[in-house]
């Protein structure tokens, strides 16, 4: 990709950020969403987060992890345990990352 | 805010005080979770250089795209020289969650001029959204919201941009095989956990996760779109036939 193409690509992605983050704020008037859709949309942010997270944890190059001895699974297990114990996001990150690094660097997984 | 007895400050002073207070509160609540974001940003900075972008272009991308998951999804495509529309469609799908978030932001910022509300939401990442809705569950404008928001996004912007620029500068010296970017995934995981309310949201997100994995081979990250559609549908069906009254407990 030439630098000009890459520049156009990046400018386009910036526009996408502005449009997606501000999507329902673009119009001057509020778009009336039907009540059933509003109720249903309360599941959307969680579904979207789950959709970003799950493949990062469960897939390697598009294939399901083939072993339980995967640093990411261990990290998620440790982070999950911490979260439901203390309800802190920072602890979830720190414990999960520490366990992952320990498995990778210490145990060589 | 309860008025303390014997307080003589004029209402103007109070507003200034509350504004600073809320700004600080917004800042304080995001400091902890932002560490995961910083690790993710560092890795993204490195990844931009490794995928062949020049330093000025990588810096530009960091500053004006400011969307980690979309950037990471786009970089291999840029490296492979994929057509622009493929890269943009992929970025759009990764950012689809922000479209849904924006329906909520409308309730709080809808009364502001368009340029102002778009400037605000440009900075509204996942963490800011979840923390803001926790602080202000009532979907209506209220004093303190804007300063809280500004405190929140100011910190998260810095905690993204500084490590990202650092990653660009030190691309050859940051170890990539440690998998530090996974800290960002753990941050999103903690966010998702803290947003779970009621049995049906567990089931809907579990099914969405499975759908995202099952549909992973779809092009353009359409698996994210499929997962959102499936999750919302499952949630709506459950609410109709097996309500958990989570809405009432919010």
């Amino acid at each position: 990709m030439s630098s000009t193409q890459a520049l156009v690509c990046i400018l386009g992605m910036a526009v996408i950020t502005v449009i997606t983050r501000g999507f329902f704020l673009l119009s001057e008037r509020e778009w009336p969403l039907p009540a059933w859709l509003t109720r249903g949309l309360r599941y959307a942010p969680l579904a979207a987060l789950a959709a970003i997270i799950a493949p990062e944890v469960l897939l390697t190059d598009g294939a399901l992890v083939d072993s339980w001895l995967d640093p990411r699974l261990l990290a998620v297990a440790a982070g999950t345990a911490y979260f439901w114990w203390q309800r802190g996001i920072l602890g979830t990150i720190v414990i999960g990352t520490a366990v992952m690094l320990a498995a990778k660097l210490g145990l060589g997984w | 805010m309860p008025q303390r007895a014997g307080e003589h400050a004029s209402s103007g002073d109070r507003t200034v005080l509350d504004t600073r207070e809320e700004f600080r509160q917004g800042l304080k609540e995001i400091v902890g979770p932002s560490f995961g974001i910083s690790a993710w940003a560092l890795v993204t900075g490195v990844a931009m250089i490794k995928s062949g972008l020049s330093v000025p272009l990588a810096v530009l991308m960091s500053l004006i795209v400011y969307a980690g998951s979309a950037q990471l999804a786009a970089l291999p495509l840029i490296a492979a020289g994929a057509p622009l529309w493929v890269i943009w469609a992929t970025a759009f799908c990764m950012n689809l969650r922000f479209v849904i978030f924006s329906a909520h932001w409308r309730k709080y910022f809808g009364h502001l001029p368009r340029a102002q509300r778009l400037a605000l939401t440009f900075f509204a990442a996942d963490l800011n959204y979840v923390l803001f809705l926790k602080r202000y569950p009532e979907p209506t404008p209220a004093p303190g919201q804007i300063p809280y928001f500004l405190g929140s996004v100011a910190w998260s912007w810095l905690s993204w941009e500084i490590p990202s620029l650092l990653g660009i500068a030190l691309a050859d010296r940051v170890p990539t095989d440690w998998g530090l970017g996974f800290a960002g995934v753990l941050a999103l995981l903690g966010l998702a956990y803290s947003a779970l309310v009621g049995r049906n949201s567990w089931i809907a997100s579990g099914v969405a996760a499975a759908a995202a994995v099952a549909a992973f081979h779809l092009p353009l990250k359409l698996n994210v779109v499929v997962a959102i559609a499936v999750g919302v549908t499952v949630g709506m069906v459950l609410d109709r036939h097996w309500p958990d009254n989570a809405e009432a407990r919010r």
Side-chain angles (χ1 to χ4, degrees):
Chain A
M1 191 175 275
S2 73
S3 329
T4 320
Q5 260 178 320
L7 178 66
V8 172
C9 176
I10 289 169
L11 293 177
M13 286 179 70
V15 172
I16 289 169
T17 301
V18 173
I19 290 179
T20 51
R21 291 228 170 106
F23 192 81
F24 283 104
L25 291 135
L26 286 168
S27 151
E28 280 304 334
R29 275 185 304 148
E30 188 161 2
W31 297 334
L33 293 178
W36 61 269
L37 188 60
T38 311
R39 273 198 307 277
L41 280 183
R42 87 182 171 91
Y43 292 105
L46 267 171
L49 284 176
I52 306 272
I53 298 164
E56 293 287 339
V57 177
L58 296 174
L59 301 179
T60 309
D61 297 328
L64 268 180
V65 284
D66 51 4
S67 158
W68 291 106
L69 299 181
D70 188 291
R72 291 171 301 166
L73 294 182
L74 205 62
V76 165
T80 301
Y82 179 87
F83 184 88
W84 294 109
W85 176 43
Q86 291 290 327
R87 309 262 165 171
I89 298 178
L90 174 60
T92 306
I93 300 163
V94 171
I95 301 285
T97 308
V99 166
M100 185 193 67
L101 288 178
K104 275 202 169 177
L105 305 176
L107 302 174
W109 284 9
Chain B
M1 279 268 159
Q3 191 82 26
R4 282 187 293 274
E7 186 146 37
H8 297 297
S10 73
S11 63
D13 288 347
R14 276 211 65 78
T15 316
V16 173
L17 190 73
D18 289 350
T19 299
R20 260 188 240 147
E21 195 69 23
E22 280 304 299
F23 184 88
R24 218 171 298 145
Q25 185 69 23
L27 233 148
K28 211 174 75 186
E29 286 180 10
I30 204 159
V31 169
S34 69
F35 282 95
I37 303 301
S38 294
W40 196 8
L42 182 73
V43 172
T44 307
V46 174
M48 285 190 284
I49 297 299
K50 296 256 152 112
S51 64
L53 287 181
S54 64
V55 170
L57 282 176
V59 170
L60 183 74
M61 185 185 228
S62 184
L63 292 176
I64 71 172
V65 178
Y66 188 50
S69 55
Q71 282 171 246
L72 282 178
L75 287 173
L77 300 173
I78 292 175
L84 284 181
W85 72 268
V86 170
I87 301 174
W88 287 338
T90 302
F92 186 84
C93 289
M94 291 307 275
N95 277 348
L96 200 60
R97 62 191 191 281
F98 297 127
V99 172
I100 300 148
F101 296 171
S102 79
H104 285 132
W105 289 124
R106 167 111 222 168
K107 312 271 182 213
Y108 300 94
F109 299 151
H111 62 288
L112 300 170
R114 184 190 281 132
Q116 210 172 325
R117 44 185 206 253
L118 291 183
L120 287 179
T121 49
F122 171 80
F123 292 99
D126 304 86
L127 271 172
N128 311 113
Y129 169 80
V130 172
L131 294 175
F132 186 94
L133 261 74
K134 274 197 160 199
R135 177 95 178 148
Y136 296 105
E138 199 61 45
T140 175
Q145 284 175 352
I146 306 263
Y148 177 90
F149 180 88
L150 291 176
S152 184
V153 297
W155 183 273
S156 59
W157 189 78
L158 287 175
S159 70
W160 175 269
E161 294 297 345
I162 294 172
S164 174
L165 297 178
L166 217 62
I168 293 170
L170 306 174
D172 298 328
R173 273 174 281 171
V174 177
T176 45
D177 54 346
W178 286 13
L180 277 179
F182 199 68
V185 176
L186 289 164
L188 292 183
L189 186 72
L191 267 186
Y193 285 153
S194 61
L196 282 164
V197 183
R199 177 195 63 221
N200 288 353
S201 71
W202 278 89
I203 301 175
S205 354
V207 175
V213 170
F216 189 76
H217 289 285
L218 289 178
L220 311 175
K221 294 284 175 192
L222 282 170
N223 65 321
V224 178
V225 183
V226 170
I228 295 173
V230 169
V232 169
T233 309
V234 166
M236 276 166 33
V237 170
L238 284 172
D239 276 350
R240 164 156 285 195
H241 298 289
W242 199 26
D244 63 2
N245 298 320
E247 204 66 353
R249 277 187 279 126
R250 263 167 186 253

